[in-house]
Amino acid sequence: MYRENKMNSRGAFLKKVSLAVVSVVGIGFAGFSFQKRKVNLGFNVKTLSDDEAKEMARNLPSSESNRLKPEPPPKMQHPSED
Amino acid sequence: MQKDSYDSSRRDFLKKLPVAITGSAVALSSCSRQEIDEYLQENFRTLSSAEKKEIISNLEKKYSEKYGKKFIVSAKPAIDNTLFGYALDLSRCIGCRRCVYACVKENNQSRDPQIQWIQVLQMEKDKGIDFMHSDVHYDPELVPEEGYFYVPVSCQQCNNPPCIKVCPTKATWQEEDGIVVVDYDWCIGCRYCQAACPYGARHFNFGQPTVPAEEINPITHYLGNRPRIKGVVEKCTFCIQRVREGKYPSCVEICPVGARKFGNLLDPNSEVRYILKNKRVLVLKAELNTQPKFFYYFGV
């Protein structure tokens, strides 16, 4: 009886280990494919990563010659105004 | 005692029933035939050509009477082999908000309460594209301000739009040319789509929209800029009333620095395809797999 229990618990342990391995691999695969998703329009689009975009934004030249007075900012709509 | 109370409530119900019926009849008789037809009309996609023609004729008459201008309500379908796309050069945009007000005027957006389909976000150059620290209410004397850049955001016309999946009445859908539209007569104002949109691109009419008669644009599309009513959601349609006639959206035309580009993604010779071929582009919140057809890029 004792031996049988021990066997059972080893079997259960192996089951759990294999389930854990499958889950980790599955989550990793899903995460990887999710991260790799790109704009899907039937042709290749070269995208910028967030870091590259940040770097490009930081290096934007200041356009002092193109300065204009901006239009007024928006007034927020709120249910209480109704 | 129990039975008595049931009896009296049944009696009460029978007493109130004729009053309710009379009330409903009076309410219905006070509605015009057109109002009843509008209330009972089918979803735009299931209407026959004859039904569409009749509905549009009624709408044109109604709007013309209300605003004192001859209205055109188009129902022009998508042009074959067309998938509209948009590209915006972040290095050119100066945040002047000309596009916002051109859009308001062209698309008959409510002036009070104010609805604006385009929001221009001011972001710090050091932080990059960072919505958490962006400011939509910037108001300096002159733009662009030193140390900032500007990201105009409107409907991204996603290829995989989460907003249409949540609509319980199927009042919103994607047209064949990629434009996501709303049937204002079928929108029940549940705002699920507004919650589902990760770009804040849908706007709800909490109050009765007001547009002064002298400022109304009478050239409209049924699925676009025709006058809306209180309690419905609205959004950018790439100026559907213009682009299906071969014109640019009003925001593209007004931009004083030429930061906005628009065209057919299926046409290899279009300006937008040139940008996609030659520039590295950015889509907002790409990790959500919404697949926007609105691309941002740095031209310099």
Side-chain angles (χ1 to χ4, degrees):
Chain A
M1 188 65 184
Y2 174 69
R3 189 176 161 73
E4 203 176 289
N5 273 345
K6 208 175 168 186
M7 284 295 284
N8 276 347
S9 79
R10 193 191 298 155
F13 172 73
L14 285 173
K15 260 188 198 168
K16 280 177 190 166
V17 166
S18 30
L19 192 66
V21 169
V22 169
S23 308
V24 167
V25 171
I27 289 168
F29 180 75
F32 182 75
S33 54
F34 195 63
Q35 204 177 27
K36 284 285 172 190
R37 268 183 188 157
K38 285 188 179 166
V39 186
N40 178 19
L41 290 167
F43 52 86
N44 284 335
V45 174
K46 291 169 278 181
T47 51
L48 276 171
S49 71
D50 288 350
D51 287 341
E52 286 168 322
K54 196 173 177 179
E55 193 55 37
M56 290 181 98
R58 190 177 288 131
N59 295 330
L60 279 176
S62 51
S63 49
E64 284 179 12
S65 56
N66 263 342
R67 292 203 159 166
L68 286 177
K69 183 169 171 43
E71 297 286 343
K75 290 180 278 179
M76 280 295 119
Q77 193 191 180
H78 192 273
S80 62
E81 287 176 12
D82 186 20
Chain B
M1 185 66 189
Q2 181 81 9
K3 188 170 165 51
D4 277 352
S5 95
Y6 277 127
D7 279 351
S8 71
S9 84
R10 190 190 299 153
R11 201 167 296 131
D12 280 350
F13 172 75
L14 288 171
K15 271 184 199 165
K16 285 171 188 166
L17 191 62
V19 179
I21 291 171
T22 317
S24 307
V26 169
L28 271 175
S29 63
S30 69
C31 290
S32 67
R33 174 69 201 260
Q34 194 184 339
E35 281 170 329
I36 297 168
D37 285 349
E38 266 177 34
Y39 187 73
L40 297 174
Q41 101 186 21
E42 291 287 312
N43 187 302
F44 184 75
R45 283 181 292 178
T46 60
L47 292 172
S48 67
S49 302
E51 285 170 327
K52 276 183 194 169
K53 207 173 168 185
E54 193 191 333
I55 287 167
I56 281 166
S57 155
N58 288 337
L59 282 176
E60 285 176 340
K61 198 176 152 203
K62 182 175 141 186
Y63 297 148
S64 299
E65 277 170 12
K66 186 175 175 187
Y67 293 101
K69 281 182 183 175
K70 184 167 167 40
F71 258 76
I72 295 170
V73 181
S74 164
K76 192 169 182 176
I79 306 164
D80 287 342
N81 298 318
T82 307
L83 185 67
F84 289 120
Y86 209 110
L88 198 147
D89 187 349
L90 292 174
S91 56
R92 280 196 186 200
C93 179
I94 57 170
C96 64
R97 296 199 188 96
R98 300 289 189 273
C99 51
V100 175
Y101 287 88
C103 174
V104 165
K105 203 173 170 191
E106 171 65 33
N107 291 294
N108 296 325
Q109 286 153 44
S110 176
R111 312 303 203 263
D112 184 25
Q114 193 180 58
I115 286 191
Q116 294 180 343
W117 291 352
I118 304 175
Q119 290 187 307
V120 184
L121 304 175
Q122 185 185 49
M123 297 187 186
E124 286 176 46
K125 282 183 180 174
D126 284 344
K127 290 191 171 134
I129 295 187
D130 179 2
F131 290 98
M132 288 297 283
H133 297 97
S134 65
D135 179 15
V136 76
H137 294 287
Y138 64 92
D139 195 19
E141 274 296 301
L142 294 172
V143 284
E145 277 189 284
E146 195 60 49
Y148 292 96
F149 72 108
Y150 301 86
V151 182
V153 180
S154 55
C155 176
Q156 305 287 297
Q157 309 292 353
C158 306
N159 229 19
N160 183 23
C163 53
I164 67 173
K165 293 177 190 166
V166 296
C167 180
T169 59
K170 304 290 172 213
T172 180
W173 65 89
Q174 190 174 28
E175 291 271 282
E176 279 176 25
D177 53 10
I179 301 175
V180 176
V181 294
V182 180
D183 183 344
Y184 306 119
D185 288 312
W186 268 66
C187 177
I188 56 169
C190 67
R191 302 172 65 204
Y192 285 6
C193 56
Q194 202 179 11
C197 174
Y199 305 103
R202 285 181 172 252
H203 304 270
F204 183 67
N205 285 287
F206 283 109
Q208 185 62 41
T210 54
V211 183
E214 63 276 13
E215 290 177 28
I216 197 97
N217 174 14
I219 314 295
T220 66
H221 193 284
Y222 186 92
L223 300 171
N225 62 337
R226 71 182 167 105
R228 277 77 73 187
I229 54 166
K230 180 180 175 178
V232 300
V233 166
E234 57 181 77
K235 61 178 280 297
C236 161
T237 59
F238 278 167
C239 287
I240 193 169
Q241 70 283 1
R242 295 173 62 88
V243 296
R244 286 194 179 168
E245 299 290 344
K247 297 176 187 169
Y248 279 128
S250 60
C251 51
V252 174
E253 279 199 352
I254 199 82
C255 183
V257 291
R260 292 170 170 269
K261 310 288 177 197
F262 179 82
N264 181 5
L265 290 168
L266 303 181
D267 176 6
N269 299 316
S270 68
E271 202 172 12
V272 73
R273 273 293 287 273
Y274 177 86
I275 290 158
L276 293 181
K277 190 178 167 194
N278 294 289
K279 298 283 177 190
R280 294 178 68 199
V281 295
L282 183 78
V283 290
L284 299 181
K285 303 186 181 180
E287 69 278 10
L288 299 179
N289 194 32
T290 52
Q291 300 175 11
K293 291 193 293 298
F294 200 115
F295 305 93
Y296 295 87
Y297 68 103
F298 293 93
V300 291

